[in-house]
Amino acid sequence: MTRVVVLTGAGISAESGVPTFRDSDGLWEGHPVEDVATPEGFERDPMTVQQFYDARRAALETVEPNPAHYALARLGEALGDELVLVTQNIDDLHERAGSTGVVHMHGEAYRAWCTECDRRWPWRTTLVDDPACPGCGARALRPDVVWFGEMPYEMNRIAVELARADLFVSIGTSGAVYPAAGFVQQARKYGARTLELNLEPSEGSFYFHEARQGPASRLVPEWVEDLLASRD
Ligand code: BV8
């Protein structure tokens, strides 16, 4: 029984044309992170934040999954619930490649959260026009993404999965943001093997038993094929 936990970050979607955070050297579409990815920034200037996420939501219509996303979907088909796929990404490329049960710990671009009734709704259009909540009618919808200073989603479930993982694989993340950046240490503490697949060594590379550098579109299919071959 090989229980695998995979954590993905912006690097897995880079070759699909989704910009990463590091590439934009800390500025997202020209905005300092603290202006567009914090509750304070939203409080200060909701229109700018809504426009920022409307633009990222619209951009997702123009991109496609790449071989790395498809390889993880294949792995999910083979392993079933022995694979837990956790992503920091708010795009839906894992789902479009066929992965199911993806844990979006930082939320999703295609969902809106009503801060009045606390319900969440699939959302593929804009929020800058301050639309009414489909449930309660209040004009109180925000992007359903986790900003800095907010608690990521499904942390208890992730802790359980890291504690019982045989293998933890981190793909396409700089290891700069916590708590995601600490998952490798948690998994290792419970005896998991740990592997990093990234274009360059991340900030946490030294925590991994093994780190391979290269583009995800090559490294991930290679790793998945090896893993599946070793199970036969
Ligand atoms: C929380 C969603 C507490 C929104 C995101 C001081 C020290 C330590 C921690 C902190 C601190 N001060 C504050 C903190 C906590 C803070 C944090 O970690 N800050 C950092 C900056 C120091 N964390 C938080 O605030 C988190 N919440 O701690 O809550 C709490 C406790 C109790 C009660 C309430 C609250 C919440 C953080 C979530 C923020 N939201 N995203 C949105 O998307 O708009 S973060 C966002 O950036 C991502 O989701 C991801 O998590 C993070 C980093 O991005 P990456 O995915 O790693 O992408 P990046 O560009 O950085 O790297 C890409 C990598 O891919 C690179 O390494 C590159 O080499 C590689 N790559 C590129 N191309 C390829 C490739 N690899 C392979 N193939 C390629 N082709």
Side-chain angles (χ1 to χ4, degrees):
M1 171 88 113
T2 313
R3 300 199 64 83
V4 183
V5 175
V6 171
L7 172 70
T8 62
I12 199 170
S13 299
E15 291 162 271
S16 295
V18 181
T20 68
F21 304 100
R22 295 293 161 279
D23 292 352
S24 39
D25 54 72
L27 287 187
W28 285 353
E29 323 267 330
H31 301 285
V33 167
E34 57 279 358
D35 287 359
V36 290
T38 60
E40 297 76 19
F42 183 62
E43 187 71 33
R44 209 172 27 246
D45 183 355
M47 293 280 279
T48 295
V49 174
Q50 297 287 26
Q51 279 165 338
F52 173 68
Y53 284 95
D54 285 356
R56 287 174 66 192
R57 197 175 303 115
L60 289 181
E61 305 289 334
T62 66
V63 298
E64 296 292 327
N66 68 58
H69 296 105
Y70 287 112
L72 290 180
R74 267 199 312 285
L75 185 63
E77 274 160 36
L79 297 190
D81 63 11
E82 286 180 17
L83 170 69
V84 177
L85 176 52
V86 181
T87 186
Q88 301 169 87
N89 300 337
I90 63 173
D91 65 50
D92 66 339
L93 293 175
H94 284 304
E95 288 84 355
R96 286 170 53 195
S99 290
T100 57
V102 180
V103 180
H104 281 273
M105 65 178 290
H106 288 162
E108 298 173 68
Y110 282 143
R111 284 164 73 83
W113 170 20
C114 178
T115 54
E116 187 67 28
C117 70
D118 206 27
R119 272 176 287 184
R120 286 146 174 86
W121 308 94
W123 207 270
R124 300 187 79 99
T125 55
T126 56
L127 289 170
V128 71
D129 34 326
D130 208 10
C133 167
C136 73
R139 294 189 180 282
L141 291 169
R142 60 164 271 189
D144 187 20
V145 299
V146 177
W147 285 328
F148 289 97
E150 296 183 327
M151 178 56 90
Y153 285 128
E154 303 211 53
M155 288 306 294
N156 294 336
R157 175 163 171 231
I158 293 170
V160 167
E161 296 298 348
L162 291 172
R164 61 181 193 169
D166 302 298
L167 177 61
F168 174 75
V169 184
S170 177
I171 302 171
T173 179
S174 59
V177 173
Y178 288 80
F183 290 173
V184 57
Q185 291 156 270
Q186 278 175 263
R188 210 175 158 148
K189 191 171 70 183
Y190 290 101
R193 287 282 303 160
T194 55
L195 168 67
E196 178 179 81
L197 306 178
N198 207 54
L199 197 59
E200 72 222 342
S202 76
E203 292 183 27
S205 270
F206 51 83
Y207 288 117
F208 289 84
H209 292 103
E210 185 188 355
R212 297 178 198 163
Q213 279 79 47
S217 64
R218 176 169 61 76
L219 290 189
V220 179
E222 280 173 0
W223 166 67
V224 167
E225 300 327 318
D226 286 352
L227 185 69
L228 293 180
S230 69
R231 283 167 54 88
D232 295 342

